[in-house]
Amino acid sequence: RRLQKGHGRRMACCAGCLGPSLPPHYTYSNSARNARGDARISPGKRIYLSVFFPDSERARPAHFFFDRTKATSRVVEDAVAYAGLQLDRGRLVGSPEKLNLFTLEGEVLRTDLPLDAHLGATLHPSDVLLLEKGNRVSEDRLDAIKAAVEQQNGSCVVM
């Protein structure tokens, strides 16, 4: 029986390599090769990042590129818009908590600084970031995202 696009199934022999199937809000909606961003940003100014969304929103994470000379707040604004969510003064509409941008080490990125200010210290090209409500992100959530990223970046060869 032929599988239709978007209805992927795993063969039993791959379970050891690929692990259990991930929930949709932990699987990327696009590939790094097809990162979303403004095509007018010159390649020399681009920084490629992946963004996960708050667990409560169930939005799928995505690969993006941003202008590294612009404020880090653009990451929040562009990612939220891509996910079809709305911001109101730094908060998701309907949420009392501010939306913050975290690294996978749990560090908060200041959104008033340009991305360049974070490069080399708390931020590196191809890093995975997490948008989360509030000032902290749980270790369990960070571990779940790390595991999901690792599983999707794994190398399983099918012969």
Side-chain angles (χ1 to χ4, degrees):
R1 186 168 125 179
R2 190 172 168 206
L3 292 178
Q4 294 177 343
K5 187 176 181 180
H7 292 86
R9 286 194 220 156
R10 299 224 167 126
M11 297 185 315
C13 62
C14 293
C17 183
L18 297 176
S21 188
L22 292 169
H25 64 284
Y26 277 86
T27 60
Y28 291 111
S29 62
N30 63 340
S31 68
R33 188 178 312 184
N34 294 317
R36 309 284 289 188
D38 184 345
R40 296 175 292 185
I41 300 171
S42 68
K45 287 186 174 183
R46 292 180 185 182
I47 180 171
Y48 289 81
L49 302 166
S50 301
V51 179
F52 276 75
F53 297 95
D55 205 25
S56 61
E57 301 306 318
R58 301 293 189 207
R60 292 180 65 190
H63 298 283
F64 296 91
F65 64 85
F66 302 97
D67 185 333
R68 59 193 199 128
T69 64
K70 300 291 183 189
T72 305
S73 61
R74 289 299 304 259
V75 174
V76 176
E77 293 163 5
D78 292 354
V80 164
Y82 171 79
L85 305 171
Q86 293 182 329
L87 277 178
D88 179 26
R89 289 177 270 165
R91 295 165 172 75
L92 287 176
V93 171
S95 174
E97 296 177 291
K98 184 175 187 263
L99 194 61
N100 283 303
L101 194 59
F102 294 88
T103 66
L104 282 186
E105 288 73 41
E107 295 181 47
V108 178
L109 294 178
R110 286 187 48 187
T111 56
D112 60 326
L113 297 176
L115 283 166
D116 270 345
H118 298 290
L119 285 175
T122 54
L123 188 64
H124 299 69
S126 300
D127 269 358
V128 176
L129 300 176
L130 169 62
L131 282 171
E132 196 62 64
K133 298 172 190 174
N135 295 325
R136 293 186 171 213
V137 58
S138 75
E139 287 297 320
D140 289 344
R141 176 87 165 120
L142 291 171
D143 290 344
I145 291 172
K146 288 175 189 176
V149 169
E150 187 176 304
Q151 184 172 337
Q152 292 176 83
N153 290 340
S155 57
C156 183
V157 177
V158 178
M159 296 190 191

